Amino acid sequence: AAAFPGTPADSLGFEHAANAIAAFEAATWRSDASPFDRYLAGNDEAMPIAARRGGVVFYGRGNCASCHAGNLLTDQSFANIGVPQVGPGKAAEPPRDLGRAEATGAPAERYAFRTPSLRNTAITGPWMHDGVYATLEAAVRHYLDVPAALYGYDASQLPLAFRDMVVTDPAMN
């Protein structure tokens, strides 16, 4: 009622609650004053030189921005990047997780997952859609040689309960 003072209490519905929660989340977790944002706004000194060198790789030869683009550092698209599967997933027959294809049924979308935002990524581990990498460095290194990362995946970085649930078969990743 406080969020919609002109709306009678008996007219408030689910959509009002959803809009109020969305507004709260947008205001609470808004991030537009980070060093990265200040740098984009023209403050060349907002980011340390090492971070700027990383940006050259990110936007250049690393090609990271082809998927991690825009203010949220995501294109909101789905992609299959050959990540080993870990854990039960959402499929009827664990540990198989078909990704976007679970929702669409489209074979071309098997094992495709939404490109995540890179905002605050350093504090959001473990990384990848299934938490397969315990360090951000390991997640980034995955892209250097995807087949090698898939076939040579080291399950020892996982909690014991998940180590025997790793799938590295390329037909299932």
Side-chain angles (χ1 to χ4, degrees):
F4 300 95
T7 305
D10 60 350
S11 296
L12 292 173
F14 176 81
E15 66 277 7
H16 293 92
N19 287 332
I21 291 169
F24 167 79
E25 289 178 348
T28 302
W29 289 289
R30 181 177 176 159
S31 176
D32 59 4
S34 71
F36 176 69
D37 292 303
R38 292 193 311 273
Y39 180 79
L40 290 179
N43 180 349
D44 291 342
E45 303 305 316
M47 288 180 27
I49 190 71
R52 287 183 268 167
R53 281 195 302 269
V56 170
V57 174
F58 184 90
Y59 289 102
R61 65 184 157 98
N63 202 28
C64 308
S66 66
C67 296
H68 296 283
N71 290 343
L72 295 178
L73 298 173
T74 174
D75 60 5
Q76 295 290 325
S77 295
F78 293 84
N80 179 341
I81 58 169
V83 172
Q85 287 201 41
V86 175
K90 294 182 178 182
E93 298 178 30
R96 208 168 156 179
D97 188 341
L98 297 177
R100 182 71 177 147
E102 291 285 349
T104 66
E109 294 185 311
R110 285 183 176 208
Y111 314 111
F113 296 88
R114 186 181 304 273
T115 304
S117 169
L118 294 185
R119 289 287 189 166
N120 293 320
T121 197
I123 59 172
T124 61
W127 290 269
M128 301 307 196
H129 70 276
D130 56 359
V132 74
Y133 290 116
T135 68
L136 184 54
E137 180 179 348
V140 172
R141 288 190 176 281
H142 171 87
Y143 293 94
L144 295 176
D145 186 344
V146 172
L150 179 59
Y151 295 126
Y153 179 73
D154 178 12
S156 70
Q157 63 188 301
L158 295 171
L160 283 173
F162 293 104
R163 291 182 185 173
D164 64 345
M165 300 175 82
V166 175
V167 177
T168 58
D169 179 350
M172 295 180 63
N173 289 291

